[in-house]
Structures are given as structure tokens and as C-alpha cells.
Amino acid sequence: MNVIRRLRRKFILISTTTVIIIVVGVLGLVNTIAYMRVYTHIESNLMYLAQNNKNLMPKEMLQNSNSLFGEIDWSENTPDFPYQIRFFSLLMEENGQIKELNLKNIAAFTEKEAIEYASFVLNSGRTTGFFKKDRATYAFLITENKNNDVAIVIMDCTPDISIVEDFMRVSITLGCLSTLLYVIILAILSNFAIKPFVRNVENQKRFITNAGHELKTPIAIISANTEAMELINGKNQWTESILKQVRRLSKMINDLIILAKVGEKTESEIIFTKINFSEIAIEVVKSFEQMAIEQKKQLEYKIEPDVFIKSEGKCLYELINILVDNAVKYCDDGGSVQTELITKKKEVILSVSNNYADGKNVDYSRFFERFYRGDISHSSEKAGYGIGLSIANELVQLLKGKIQVKYIDGRIIFTIKFNL
């Protein structure tokens, strides 16, 4: 059933979206914390290197990081700490003359390369940051001492950055796999989650069908008895009113039964054959000519001849009949109902429109809801219960088409599209 499939898809979509938002939020927060901790660790190492070189920066001029992600300064308690870090430092006078260059603790840079990269970071306009050399990642810190000399420390932080990148890759992969696994499990178990709703819908449809058939008998008896009374006593306003209400009630019951049956059908039960769309459309439109004349409305049609599509004849006939009936019924007095069938590229387009002056503020997105009627004050004078367009929507989905409604220049236009 289309309603059940749509409900199941919506349930899976909403649940999956919720999980994705949570997973993305959690992974984003965890990876941000990991990155900030590594960044703070690298910054603290750069500060340590600058503080422990008297020519670069006196220790009292640099402060330890007070960041939320800061860590205990354990470097002074570890004698081997300086030997674990690969770095070089450069001290430059205010005029650009190199005063000191220390390459003892790194092998990846020659003297020329060290000067080039020092100039590069100095011209970057930042006091701290990262850059790449070959496949390695380096962090730098630029400071000034009391003599206005510029001190540059460049440190190899490849292991730290690699740990963060690996962690990000693993966490994103696990997040994607977890989400995919969740969707698969949810798709399998979703049938159990919506089972009570499915059972309720099936019971409702079964009740409508059974009640409809049961109601037909007393309605037929009322109609027959009323007609017998007219034969004996003649027609009067009371018998005419009874028969009119009986016809309305019969139509409502028939529509409810059709709606229930259409909802029970699946696409696999519909047999598609090549049919003449043009002939069916003309036949339906002409069947409303007398009704339009009686209501003083113009019935116009422009239908391309011999338009063939693969569809199901009865469903297609019922679909067009609902749209034309709705257009004639709700067309303004003295207005026109226009039906047009054209082929455009690889599509067949059927449009049914009618004048409706009060249609500016109508919520057309709800037109295909069951029992919805846009303007109660206007619609109360019309026969109908808001079932027809819902049936039309169900039929269009069964026939693998698309339906939409819009309001342009005082006219309501229903458009149906089928692929050739």
C-alpha cells in the first residue's frame, strides 16, 4: 500500500536524519577537542623551546597556555624531553641580518632551506601556524626579544598531526559504518515499528468496505419506497428531497469504497497496456457537456489526437473523470472549464482548469488530503466530501505519474504528467 510505504520511508528518513545529526555533532566535538589538545601540546612545546634558549626569548616574557585544552607542564620533569623533539631556531636582527642559526636538532633542513622557510613563515603575517615540507608537517612560533630581534622556532610535529588525522579518519569511517548499519537494522525492524498503524489502517479500510456494502441495502430500500410513494401520491418537495439526499449518500459510499480499494491496490496488480489517451479524455469531457450547460458554464477542450501511453484504462478514465467533475463543480458561475492534452518531449501532459475567483488564499498543498475542503463556506453549497482529489492522487501514483495543482490568473489548474 502506497500510504504504508510512504510512512515507512518517512519513518526511516526522520530516524536516520536524527542519528546523523547526533553522530556528526558528537564526532565533530570529539575531533575538535582532539585537535585543540594536540594544538595546545604543540604550542606548549614551541613555548618550551623558546623559553629554554636565552638568545631567543627570556623565560619571563612567555606565559604558559591557560587554554581550556591546556595540559600540565611536564617538560621540565622529563630530562629527555629536548631530545624527543626535532626543531631548529633562528635569531634575526631588526635589519634582517641573521644573528644565530641552530640546526643541531634537525636533519631535514639544510642551512639554505632553513633560511628560506624562516623567511617564508616571517612573511606569512602570522606569529604561529603550520606548513608542509615534503610529507612532513612543521609548526612555527615567531617572537621578539627586548632588543627587537626576531626569534623563529620551527618544530617537526608530524607525529602529533598524523595521530589527529588518523583519529579523524577512523572516527569518520566508524561513524559512517555505524550510520549505515543503523539504517539497515532500522529498515529491517521498521515493519515491526509501524505494524500497529498498518493493522489500524487495514481495519479502517475493511470497516469502510463492509459498512459501505451494508449501507447500500437500506439506502436502496429507502429509494424504492420513496419512488413507490411518488407513484401513489405523486411527486412533492419531500420525496424529491429524500431522493436527492439518497443519491448524495450513495455517491459518498461509492467514493469511500473506491478510495479503500484504490489504497489496497499495488503497482504489481495494475496491468499496463497501450491505450489511446486522447479517446478516453474526449469521452470523459463529453460526458459532462449536459451538466455544464445546465449550470451555465462553458466546457472547452483541446486534445491532441491519437496520444498513446502505457496505462490502465479504468483507472485512467476514473482519474480524468474526477478532475473534470471537480472542475465543473467548483467553477465560478459563467466561467469556463478547459481540458488540454499535449505531448511535450518525452511526456504526456493533461491539464484541467477552471475559473475560481476566491482561490488566492487557498492552501493548495492540502488539496490531495482525504476529506479536505479548502473553503468551507464556499464548498458547503457543493456536493462532495473532499474524497475525489485524494482518490485522484492515489490513482496517479498507481499509474506512475505526477500530479500538481496551482493557481494562476484566477484559475485553478490541475496538471498530470506521464512518461511516454
Side-chain angles (χ1 to χ4, degrees):
M1 290 183 289
N2 293 326
V3 175
I4 302 303
R5 284 201 298 269
R6 287 199 299 270
L7 176 66
R8 184 169 175 266
R9 285 198 295 266
K10 188 176 291 186
F11 174 75
I12 294 173
L13 179 62
I14 293 173
S15 301
T16 303
T17 302
T18 304
V19 169
I20 288 174
I21 292 172
I22 294 172
V23 170
V24 170
V26 170
L27 290 182
L29 181 62
V30 169
N31 281 285
T32 300
I33 292 174
Y35 174 80
M36 291 303 297
R37 284 192 63 82
V38 169
Y39 179 82
T40 305
H41 174 71
I42 292 171
E43 185 183 49
S44 130
N45 289 346
L46 287 170
M47 289 286 189
Y48 173 85
L49 295 174
Q51 288 173 349
N52 285 272
N53 189 326
K54 295 179 181 179
N55 292 329
L56 294 181
M57 183 63 60
K59 186 171 182 177
E60 60 272 12
M61 292 187 66
L62 293 170
Q63 301 296 326
N64 289 330
S65 174
N66 293 320
S67 168
L68 176 65
F69 303 100
E71 53 188 15
I72 298 173
D73 186 10
W74 50 270
S75 56
E76 293 185 356
N77 299 326
T78 307
D80 290 330
F81 176 74
Y83 302 100
Q84 299 173 7
I85 302 176
R86 312 308 298 168
F87 72 98
F88 74 88
S89 59
L90 182 146
L91 187 65
M92 185 182 296
E93 295 179 349
E94 190 176 5
N95 60 8
Q97 186 70 29
I98 296 175
K99 192 173 182 179
E100 180 182 330
L101 177 61
N102 178 13
L103 294 174
K104 294 185 298 181
N105 299 293
I106 199 166
F109 289 85
T110 62
E111 183 176 333
K112 181 180 178 182
E113 288 177 332
I115 295 173
E116 288 178 355
Y117 278 93
S119 300
F120 167 74
V121 299
L122 191 62
N123 294 328
S124 67
R126 295 176 296 169
T127 57
T128 185
F130 299 89
F131 67 87
K132 285 273 189 181
K133 181 180 181 294
D134 299 325
R135 297 176 61 182
T137 303
Y138 296 88
F140 64 87
L141 175 68
I142 301 175
T143 55
E144 289 186 9
N145 61 17
K146 292 180 179 180
N147 299 324
N148 293 326
D149 293 337
V150 177
I152 303 172
V153 178
I154 295 179
M155 180 184 72
D156 184 358
C157 58
T158 304
D160 296 317
I161 298 298
S162 296
I163 290 172
V164 174
E165 290 177 348
D166 289 343
F167 179 77
M168 289 180 66
R169 278 194 295 269
V170 171
S171 63
I172 291 172
T173 302
L174 287 176
C176 293
L177 290 175
S178 300
T179 304
L180 180 61
L181 184 61
Y182 171 82
V183 173
I184 293 172
I185 295 173
L186 182 64
I188 295 171
L189 299 180
S190 60
N191 288 326
F192 296 97
I194 64 174
K195 206 169 186 178
F197 177 82
V198 173
R199 192 183 301 113
N200 185 41
V201 170
E202 289 175 349
N203 290 337
Q204 287 181 1
K205 289 181 177 179
R206 193 178 299 112
F207 170 78
I208 291 172
T209 304
N210 294 338
H213 287 298
E214 291 296 326
L215 287 170
K216 282 184 177 182
T217 300
I219 288 173
I221 293 173
I222 294 171
S223 179
N225 290 342
T226 305
E227 290 173 356
M229 290 171 60
E230 286 184 337
L231 290 174
I232 297 172
N233 301 320
K235 291 184 178 182
N236 56 62
Q237 61 180 1
W238 311 113
T239 57
E240 288 181 358
S241 177
I242 292 171
L243 291 174
K244 181 181 178 181
Q245 296 306 319
V246 165
R247 285 192 291 269
R248 287 190 65 191
L249 191 55
S250 297
K251 187 177 185 306
M252 183 191 70
I253 293 170
N254 289 332
D255 286 346
L256 285 171
I257 293 172
I258 290 172
L259 184 60
K261 288 182 177 179
V262 168
E264 291 172 356
K265 287 185 178 180
T266 61
E267 293 178 4
S268 60
E269 295 174 348
I270 302 294
I271 300 174
F272 288 86
T273 57
K274 190 175 182 180
I275 60 175
N276 193 322
F277 198 166
S278 303
E279 287 184 357
I280 295 176
I282 293 172
E283 181 182 351
V284 172
V285 172
K286 286 186 175 181
S287 68
F288 285 91
E289 285 181 345
Q290 186 59 37
M291 181 187 293
I293 292 172
E294 291 175 357
Q295 297 181 12
K296 297 180 180 179
K297 300 171 183 176
Q298 297 178 6
L299 191 63
E300 304 170 357
Y301 61 91
K302 182 181 177 182
I303 297 174
E304 286 187 14
D306 298 326
V307 176
F308 289 88
I309 64 169
K310 282 190 175 182
S311 188
E312 204 277 335
K314 291 182 180 179
C315 291
L316 188 61
Y317 182 95
E318 183 65 26
L319 173 60
I320 303 170
N321 187 78
I322 290 171
L323 294 180
V324 178
D325 176 63
N326 185 80
V328 173
K329 186 185 299 178
Y330 291 99
C331 180
D332 291 335
D333 295 338
S336 65
V337 176
Q338 297 176 353
T339 304
E340 185 178 18
L341 179 66
I342 60 172
T343 54
K344 188 176 181 181
K345 295 182 180 178
K346 294 184 179 181
E347 287 184 328
V348 174
I349 303 173
L350 172 72
S351 63
V352 180
S353 65
N354 63 277
N355 296 97
Y356 186 47
D358 298 329
K360 291 184 179 179
N361 300 318
V362 176
D363 185 4
Y364 292 97
S365 65
R366 299 187 60 194
F367 257 43
F368 301 110
E369 293 181 11
R370 295 184 178 185
F371 308 108
Y372 174 77
R373 304 184 75 188
D375 184 356
I376 296 175
S377 61
H378 183 84
S379 301
S380 60
E381 302 172 0
K382 310 292 182 181
Y385 300 90
I387 303 173
L389 293 178
S390 179
I391 297 174
N393 188 41
E394 296 277 354
L395 289 170
V396 168
Q397 291 181 20
L398 281 175
L399 299 177
K400 300 179 181 179
K402 296 178 182 177
I403 186 170
Q404 63 180 14
V405 58
K406 54 188 176 181
Y407 184 80
I408 301 176
D409 299 330
R411 296 184 69 84
I412 296 179
I413 304 172
F414 287 89
T415 305
I416 301 174
K417 296 181 180 180
F418 295 105
N419 292 326
L420 282 172

